[in-house]
């Protein structure tokens, strides 16, 4: 073996000597070529695709953006708002027509209350209108502090925080606590402000069927199993249930006692939006917690606006200081927005005074709501949606035509019919493409304590007439 | 104004606060077709001192904006300050943990101790150990009109700012350098207040419904027509909250497949609105047109990421005056870019409307441009008008669209009638439609006050940020300890100022901010300036090194900066 190999090597060297020069040169070149191929970089695709300046220019020239807004037809129904002349109180003038108001959320009739107005005027004379700054920078007025302490006292919580815009309240409160990676369980019927808060939080959102506690528990159980699989992650994942006290979209009440049970069972915090129920439900108007006799400390955060029952502007959150104080630096709508005009805060304080002095208003309102609810039952062609104590009910079509547009048209004709006869109603408006679960089209019927028996009879009669004339034909 | 060694004017090229983490743009982006070419690497020294933006043809008057560089030793000391605070913070937390020191923080309920913590402990580290030490400088309650002078509710703390007690006394006549009362319309007497009183008597305070349902009052319509006329646009719409005007209308205009180009210092409301819209967001350097142009070109050329489809539309979002920097947007250049690249422009005039321009019509007026070149004119009524809320103005199609698609119009209660009246009356005064020259006087007063105040502060040797015409005047404090000290020392001298630190500003650029108002008299400003100078000496705040002009060295330093 060894000698054989040696022989081959000697032969190779000999052959090398004998080979002609051109052969060697050629082979040398070939070897170099192979080496070059081996070490050269791979073919650069993107380099050949790189655009020249000229090509870029052409692309820029060529690009045509969409129109900033899509064109709108002139007769689009919501384009032309109804114009209210004068105050939007019990007696209201719409498009020049005097009507009785069954559309504004002025449940306690405080909008044109003389005492409230006087306080607002006194405040205006002292502070002027605007605050010219956010709360942090000389925008905190003594009235704001007073309103916050009054609200927390009224609700029997440790602390309250006020926002200058009702919509921004819950929409800022949710993302102040719930961040990316956290989980929020939310009712399908939740209002738009909640939906925006959820979106801003960037958390994982899980919708449960409206007021369906079994569905919620199913989701919670699923999550519990998930947590068992990954306990490290579960230790830092906050979980929230967001519900409304009295749903604006469906006019019914959340089953709060069951929710509280689930809260402790699955260790989930509850955020409660009470814009519709604050100043309405409960013997003292404290909302859905009082309605059910639930301990308010069991609810982590309650938010409500001051634009409905309190007939002012703005909103508030209340709860324990541990929870609420966090918003003073993390609530975006609180930190980065101008504070509430002091006169509006003063109006809200006086409205609270009235509510505290005479809790009978809540009983009266409840009676009225029940009365309206009962008399509206059995309207031909229309289905009444809501619970008897809800001050803002919905009338939906019993049989939908299948197209939302024509349903809206039909309902609009009822509203117009009533308006002709001096009863002001309104359609419930939604952003059809933006709503997560779009509620069916409906007419809103708002009950206030200012409406007399006569007014109610008239309105109900009008609706019945309109429905039988326009729907049953 | 002379320029010295280390200071750099924001001449449209390199002038972002160049050290301290924010690098000057030096991406070597050279394109023949770009509207605003990158500055040449070597400019003649002559150019440097002329304060002319390099697209000077677009400007009708000098555009002088300065951001003097942070001196190195100050930066080092500032970081050291934060370091010491953090060490002590950990020490205190350690003591609190072992109950050696009493902890004042509100606690979780016992029943919920086993829940996942509601907020991260680290978030609160800053609050507990840094913010809490100087908390008395914020949220100072006032009990009068937020006018030129303001009455503060006196408060004391017995537990190092954890809780405050009101003594029942009032600190009278504090000169107010904090409120955004640019034109002095925060008043409880006079035409505006009287008109608002009448309206309150008639309408009451609330509305109780949305614009779309039953809350569209005649007074709202009147106001919107006036706003449209004031802005010189076809149509306008008003909303109840300035913050929400941004956060609830951008989503109505932009969506998936759209691109939003946003200035890095845009207000939270704009950022939130952009985020809620679901569009892609790209951020350009503050007021830097090269950065914006590069983003625009890249966006159009490359299209959407991954799918490479062209963008549906591109929206540039800028502010008129940036409230923390005092800088004014380079609007002529932005408009040129927007036209060149067919983008849309969203201009937030929260601070500039009423406060800039010969007629008080904001930055568009200030630069003598046509408001039709701005697609979406947004602004607030909180500041110059002494009211509340915001507006959007533009073409009729835009406003008609918003009337049907704005989240605010559809779901939020409409504006309070007395607030609307305040806007109407103050706007008419600014426009001179009340038959007096009161509005013009206020505008002139504001501009004079601004120039005077800024000039004096410069002379005293403070580092002042921003444009020479901007009534927002940030004075640099840098060190965390000086934030609290400045605010307190000024209040001792009966002057109310705003101090801001991280996270509202970059960590080392803590500052005090003054808002000049037309309501300030020369005496008030002099009193304030005297106090500022005194406190400045006490706290050694006169950092500016502009008084020692070293032209040759200056040229060198800029050159080296461009090359590094």
């Amino acid at each position: 073996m060894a000698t054989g190999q040696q022989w081959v090597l000697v032969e190779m060297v000999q052959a090398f000597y004998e080979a002609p020069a051109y052969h060697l040169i050629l082979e040398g070149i070939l070897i170099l070529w192979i080496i070059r191929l081996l070490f050269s970089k791979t073919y650069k695709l993107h380099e050949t695709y790189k655009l020249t300046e000229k090509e870029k220019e052409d692309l820029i020239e060529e690009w045509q953006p969409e129109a900033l807004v899509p064109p709108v037809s002139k007769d689009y129904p919501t384009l032309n708002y109804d114009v209210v002349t004068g105050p939007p109180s019990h007696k209201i003038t719409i498009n020049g027509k005097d009507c009785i108001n069954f559309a504004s959320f002025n449940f306690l009739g405080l909008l044109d209350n003389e005492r409230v107005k006087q306080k607002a005027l006194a405040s205006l004379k002292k502070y002027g209108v605007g605050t010219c700054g956010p709360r942090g920078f000389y925008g905190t007025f003594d009235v704001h502090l007073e309103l916050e302490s009054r609200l927390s006292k009224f609700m029997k919580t440790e602390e309250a925080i006020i926002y200058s815009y009702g919509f921004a309240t819950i929409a800022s409160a949710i993302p102040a606590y719930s961040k990316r990676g956290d989980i929020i369980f939310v009712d399908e019927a939740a209002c738009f402000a909640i939906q925006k808060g959820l979106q801003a939080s960037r958390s994982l959102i899980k919708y449960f069927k409206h007021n369906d506690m079994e569905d919620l528990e199913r989701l919670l159980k699923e999550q519990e199993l998930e947590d068992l699989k990954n306990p490290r992650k579960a230790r830092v994942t906050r979980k929230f249930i967001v519900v409304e006290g009295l749903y604006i979209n469906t006019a019914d009440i959340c089953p709060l006692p069951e929710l509280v049970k689930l809260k402790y069972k699955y260790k989930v915090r509850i955020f409660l939006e009470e814009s519709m129920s604050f100043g309405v439900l409960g013997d003292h108007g404290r909302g859905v917690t009082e309605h059910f006799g639930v301990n308010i400390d069991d609810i982590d955060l309650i938010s409500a606006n001051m634009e409905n029952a309190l007939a002012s502007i703005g909103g508030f959150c209340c709860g324990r200081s541990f929870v609420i104080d966090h918003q003073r630096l993390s609530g975006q709508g609180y930190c980065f927005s101008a504070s509430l005009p002091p006169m509006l805060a003063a109006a809200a304080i006086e409205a609270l005074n009235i509510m505290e002095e005479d809790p009978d208003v809540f009983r009266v309102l409840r009676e009225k709501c029940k009365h309206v609810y009962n008399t509206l039952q059995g309207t031909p062609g229309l289905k009444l949606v809501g619970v008897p104590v809800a001050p803002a009910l919905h009338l939906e079509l019993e049989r939908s035509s299948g197209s939302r547009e024509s349903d809206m048209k039909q309902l609009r004709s009822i509203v117009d019919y009533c308006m002709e006869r001096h009863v002001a109603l309104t359609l419930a408006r939604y952003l059809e493409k933006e709503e997560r679960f779009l509620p069916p089209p409906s007419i809103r019927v708002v009950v206030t304590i200012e409406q007399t028996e006569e007014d109610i009879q008239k309105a109900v009669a009008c609706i019945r007439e309109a429905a039988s004339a326009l729907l049953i034909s | 104004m002379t320029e010295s060694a280390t200071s750099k004017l924001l001449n449209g090229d390199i002038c972002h606060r160049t050290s301290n983490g924010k690098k000057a743009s030096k991406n070597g982006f050279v394109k023949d077709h770009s509207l605003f070419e990158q500055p040449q690497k070597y400019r003649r020294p002559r150019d440097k001192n002329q304060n002319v933006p390099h697209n000077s043809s677009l400007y009708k008057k000098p555009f002088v904006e300065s951001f003097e560089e942070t001196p190195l030793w100050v930066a080092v000391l500032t970081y050291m300050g934060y370091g010491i605070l953090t060490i002590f913070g950990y020490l205190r937390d350690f003591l609190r943990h072992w109950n050696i020191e009493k902890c004042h923080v509100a606690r979780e309920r016992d029943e919920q101790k086993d829940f996942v913590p509601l907020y991260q402990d680290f978030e609160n580290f800053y609050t507990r150990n840094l913010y809490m030490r100087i908390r008395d400088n914020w949220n100072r309650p006032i009990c009068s009109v937020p006018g030129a002078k303001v009455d503060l509710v006196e408060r004391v703390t017995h537990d190092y700012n954890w809780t405050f007690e009101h003594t029942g006394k009032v600190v009278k006549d504090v000169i107010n350098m904090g409120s955004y009362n640019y034109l002095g319309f925060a008043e409880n007497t006079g035409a505006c207040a009287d008109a608002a009183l009448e309206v309150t008597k008639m309408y009451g305070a609330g509305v109780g419904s949305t614009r779309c349902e039953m809350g569209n009052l005649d007074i709202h319509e009147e106001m919107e027509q006036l706003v449209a006329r004031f802005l010189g646009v076809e149509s306008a719409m008003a909303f109840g909250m300035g913050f929400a005007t941004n956060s609830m209308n951008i989503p109505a205009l932009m969506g998936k497949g759209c691109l939003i180009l946003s200035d890095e210092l845009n207000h939270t409301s704009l950022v939130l609105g952009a985020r809620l819209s679901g569009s892609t967001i790209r951020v350009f350097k503050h007021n830097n047109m090269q950065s914006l142009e590069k983003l625009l070109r890249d966006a159009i050329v490359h299209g959407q990421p991954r799918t490479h489809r062209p963008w549906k539309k591109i929206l540039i979002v800028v502010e008129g005056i940036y409230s923390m920097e005092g800088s004014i947007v380079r609007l002529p250049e932005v408009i040129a870019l927007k036209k060149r690249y067919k983008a849309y422009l969203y201009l937030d005039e929260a601070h500039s409307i009423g406060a800039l321009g010969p007629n008080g019509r904001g930055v568009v007026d200030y630069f003598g441009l046509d408001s039709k070149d701005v697609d979406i004119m947004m602004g607030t009524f909180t500041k110059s008008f002494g009211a509340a809320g915001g507006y959007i103005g533009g073409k009729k199609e835009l406003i008609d669209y918003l009337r049907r698609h704005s989240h605010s119009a559809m779901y939020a209660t409409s504006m309070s009638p007395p607030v609307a009246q305040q806007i109407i009356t103050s706007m008419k005064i600014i426009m001179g439609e009340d038959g007096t020259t009161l509005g013009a006087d206020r505008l002139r007063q504001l501009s004079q006050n601004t120039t005077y105040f800024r000039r004096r502060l410069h002379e005293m040797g403070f580092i002042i940020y921003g444009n020479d015409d901007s009534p927002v005047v940030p004075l640099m404090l840098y060190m965390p300890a000086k934030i609290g000290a400045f605010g307190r020392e000024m209040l001792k001298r009966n002057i109310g100022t705003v101090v801001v630190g991280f996270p509202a500003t970059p960590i080392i650029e803590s500052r005090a901010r003054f808002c000049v108002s037309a309501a300030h008299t020369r005496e008030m400003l002099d009193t304030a300036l005297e106090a500022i100078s005194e406190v400045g000496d006490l706290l050694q705040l006169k950092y500016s090194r502009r008084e020692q002009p070293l032209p040759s060295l200056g040229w060198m330093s800029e050159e080296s900066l461009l090359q590094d």
Side-chain angles (χ1 to χ4, degrees), chain B residues 17-60:
Chain B
R17 280 128 300 159
T18 26
S19 59
N20 320 326
K22 281 191 186 170
K23 289 242 160 177
S25 66
K26 48 174 173 61
N27 42 35
F29 177 78
V30 186
K31 288 216 172 58
D32 300 332
H33 306 274
S34 299
L35 214 50
F36 307 137
E37 284 166 33
Q38 280 296 95
Q40 287 167 354
K41 285 212 167 178
Y42 302 97
R43 285 181 302 155
R44 278 165 297 149
R46 182 171 61 79
D47 290 338
K48 197 185 72 81
N49 289 330
Q50 276 187 340
N51 307 337
V52 188
H54 71 281
N55 291 294
S56 50
S57 59
L58 292 168
Y59 293 88
K60 294 184 173 119

Side-chain angles (χ1 to χ4, degrees), chain B residues 45 245 316 329 379 495 528:
Chain B
T245 309
I316 303 170
V329 64
I495 289 155

Side-chain angles (χ1 to χ4, degrees), chain A residues 376 379-380 382 395 414 417-418 423 425 443 445 458-468:
Chain A
L376 275 176
T379 312
L382 289 173
L395 283 169
I414 295 175
Y417 182 95
C418 293
V423 173
L425 294 168
I443 298 174
V445 183
K458 187 178 165 190
V460 172
C462 254
I463 296 170
R464 276 178 188 280
E465 267 171 49
S468 39

Side-chain angles (χ1 to χ4, degrees), chain A residues 51 53 56-57 59-61 63-70 72 76 78-79 81-88 92 94 103-105 111 117 120-121 124-138 140-142 145 164-165 167-168 177 192 196 199-200 202 234-238 240 263-264 267-269 297-298 300 307 311-313 320-323 326 329 332-333 336-338 341 343-344 347 425-431 434-435 444, chain B residues 31 33 106-109 112 114-120 123 127 131 138-146 152 166 178-181 186-188 196-197 200-208 211-214 216-218 237 240-241 243-244 248 253 267-268 272 275-276 297 300-301 310-314 340-342 344 375-376 382-383 386-388 397-398 400-401 403-405 407-414 416 418-419 422 496-498 500 513:
Chain A
L51 296 162
E53 285 308 318
K56 282 188 184 176
E57 269 320 291
L59 279 172
I60 288 166
E61 283 305 312
W63 182 66
Q64 277 302 332
E66 280 180 11
L68 181 60
V69 291
V72 188
Y76 193 89
T78 50
L79 183 57
Y81 296 159
D82 294 325
V83 181
V84 176
T85 320
I92 185 169
I94 305 154
S104 302
F105 295 130
L111 202 64
K117 272 188 193 176
L121 285 172
L124 176 59
K125 282 177 191 157
K126 188 176 176 200
Y127 301 101
V129 176
T131 58
C132 286
R135 286 290 294 268
F137 306 151
Y138 303 95
T140 301
F141 286 62
D142 46 359
L145 300 177
S164 56
Y165 204 45
F167 189 98
Y177 305 99
F192 197 70
K196 286 293 127 182
Q199 205 187 335
R202 299 194 269 187
R235 270 205 299 278
V236 292
T237 307
R238 284 171 282 252
F240 304 91
K263 164 186 165 161
Y264 286 108
K267 310 212 183 311
V268 190
R269 296 172 193 273
D297 281 343
D298 284 334
D300 292 271
E307 293 159 356
S312 179
I313 298 284
R320 292 176 54 87
S321 298
F322 172 75
V323 179
H326 185 64
L329 287 174
Q332 292 200 327
F336 298 102
S337 160
M343 63 179 295
L344 298 175
L425 294 168
T426 177
L427 294 177
R429 300 280 191 199
Y430 306 101
L431 284 172
E434 308 262 335
E435 286 275 357
R444 221 191 271 289
Chain B
K31 288 216 172 58
H33 306 274
R107 299 293 183 95
E108 177 83 288
R109 288 175 79 201
Q112 293 183 225
D114 50 348
F115 280 47
V116 177
L118 188 56
Y119 32 84
Q120 275 161 4
E123 269 177 67
T127 315
Y131 171 69
W138 291 278
N139 301 304
R140 285 176 180 155
I142 71 173
C143 54
S144 71
V145 185
L152 296 184
H166 295 176
S179 295
Y180 308 128
N181 178 26
E187 292 169 320
N188 56 359
L197 278 172
T200 315
K201 278 182 201 153
M202 187 175 158
Y203 288 84
V207 184
R211 290 295 295 277
C212 272
E213 292 183 1
M214 204 48 76
N216 181 44
L217 306 187
D218 47 357
M237 185 165 186
M241 183 196 198
F243 185 95
M248 292 160 82
L253 296 170
H267 190 250
T268 319
L272 180 64
R275 203 196 287 163
L276 288 179
R297 287 182 71 87
I300 299 171
V301 170
W311 295 102
K312 285 183 183 160
K313 42 192 171 184
I314 299 177
R340 165 89 169 81
Y341 294 99
K342 290 171 244 155
Y344 299 106
D375 300 280
I376 303 145
T382 317
K383 283 109 190 174
E397 300 93 77
L398 169 78
D400 282 350
Y401 181 83
R403 281 174 174 256
R404 293 175 302 119
H405 289 95
H407 301 178
S408 182
M410 204 63 87
Y411 294 103
T413 304
S414 34
S416 164
V419 174
Q422 166 84 15
T497 56
V498 167
V500 267
R513 188 185 58 185

Side-chain angles (χ1 to χ4, degrees), chain A residues 303-440:
Chain A
S303 126
N305 69 28
M306 306 192 282
E307 293 159 356
N308 300 341
L310 281 182
S312 179
I313 298 284
F316 70 91
C317 288
C318 64
R320 292 176 54 87
S321 298
F322 172 75
V323 179
I324 300 300
D325 244 3
H326 185 64
Q327 283 181 56
R328 295 197 192 272
L329 287 174
S330 308
Q332 292 200 327
Y334 177 86
C335 295
F336 298 102
S337 160
S339 52
L340 183 70
M343 63 179 295
L344 298 175
I349 293 174
E350 190 60 18
L352 273 179
N353 283 338
I354 293 171
M355 281 160 62
E356 277 180 351
E357 280 164 25
D358 182 17
D360 199 43
V361 288
F362 305 112
R363 192 189 52 77
V364 175
L365 179 63
R366 231 177 351 260
E367 294 301 315
K368 290 234 157 107
C369 292
K370 281 182 191 157
H371 180 55
V372 171
Y373 182 84
N374 290 331
T375 48
L376 275 176
Q377 287 286 357
T379 312
L382 289 173
K383 184 171 66 181
L384 186 65
V385 176
V387 291
V389 290
L393 297 158
H394 291 269
L395 283 169
E396 288 172 10
L397 285 177
E398 219 158 50
R399 277 190 315 266
S400 164
S401 65
S403 129
R404 191 173 177 96
E405 205 175 317
S406 78
D407 284 3
M408 289 288 276
K409 233 173 229 168
Q410 272 195 317
L411 290 172
R412 178 80 217 183
S413 67
I414 295 175
V415 170
D416 289 342
Y417 182 95
C418 293
M419 200 100 82
E420 280 299 307
R421 283 152 191 80
H422 307 283
V423 173
L425 294 168
T426 177
L427 294 177
R429 300 280 191 199
Y430 306 101
L431 284 172
E432 295 173 7
K433 291 194 185 110
E434 308 262 335
E435 286 275 357
R436 185 67 169 66
F437 298 96
L438 183 61

Side-chain angles (χ1 to χ4, degrees), chain B residues 58-287:
Chain B
L58 292 168
Y59 293 88
K60 294 184 173 119
K61 54 183 161 184
F63 185 79
V64 188
E65 211 155 83
S66 70
F67 295 93
E68 195 175 332
E69 198 189 350
T70 311
L72 185 66
W73 62 275
V74 174
V76 171
L77 284 177
T78 307
Y79 279 119
M80 273 172 64
Y82 278 103
I84 292 167
L85 276 168
T86 311
I87 293 168
F88 271 88
Y90 278 116
L91 185 68
R92 299 283 291 273
D93 272 3
F94 176 80
L95 295 178
R96 285 183 194 120
H97 181 78
W98 295 102
N99 284 327
I100 299 167
E101 187 185 321
K102 193 169 167 259
C103 186
H104 300 271
V105 188
R107 299 293 183 95
E108 177 83 288
R109 288 175 79 201
D110 287 334
E111 292 93 321
Q112 293 183 225
K113 282 270 188 235
D114 50 348
F115 280 47
V116 177
L118 188 56
Y119 32 84
Q120 275 161 4
D121 211 36
F122 180 76
E123 269 177 67
N124 277 27
F125 181 86
Y126 184 86
T127 315
R128 219 170 27 236
N129 297 308
L130 280 78
Y131 171 69
M132 205 47 87
R133 291 169 180 269
I134 48 171
R135 191 161 81 120
D136 55 316
N137 289 295
W138 291 278
N139 301 304
R140 285 176 180 155
I142 71 173
C143 54
S144 71
V145 185
K149 285 192 174 177
V150 66
D151 298 341
L152 296 184
V153 179
E154 193 182 74
R155 52 179 192 175
V156 289
T157 173
H158 301 297
D159 49 8
Y160 303 99
N161 291 344
W162 286 96
T163 54
F164 290 104
E165 240 171 64
H166 295 176
T167 57
K169 278 187 252 168
V170 171
V171 188
K172 282 266 178 205
D173 291 332
V174 175
I175 294 178
N176 183 0
M177 300 301 297
S179 295
Y180 308 128
N181 178 26
Y182 300 122
L183 289 179
F185 279 112
E187 292 169 320
N188 56 359
T189 52
C192 291
D194 291 346
L197 278 172
E198 286 309 309
V199 167
T200 315
K201 278 182 201 153
M202 187 175 158
Y203 288 84
V207 184
S209 191
T210 66
R211 290 295 295 277
C212 272
E213 292 183 1
M214 204 48 76
N216 181 44
L217 306 187
D218 47 357
I219 196 167
H220 294 138
E221 302 252 321
E222 183 192 344
M223 169 186 55
E224 286 174 354
Q225 281 157 18
L226 184 71
V227 171
R229 205 143 47 81
F230 177 70
L231 296 172
V233 293
E234 285 174 16
S235 190
M237 185 165 186
F239 306 92
M241 183 196 198
F243 185 95
T245 309
N246 282 332
S247 62
M248 292 160 82
N249 286 308
I250 297 177
L253 296 170
M254 303 301 277
K256 270 211 159 53
C258 302
L259 176 68
I260 293 177
L261 298 178
S262 167
D263 190 290
E264 65 178 343
L265 295 179
N266 272 348
H267 190 250
T268 319
S269 55
L270 293 165
V271 177
L272 180 64
R275 203 196 287 163
L276 288 179
S277 74
S279 321
T280 307
I281 304 161
R282 286 181 189 160
V283 177
F284 59 91
K285 294 201 183 88
H286 175 54
N287 229 349

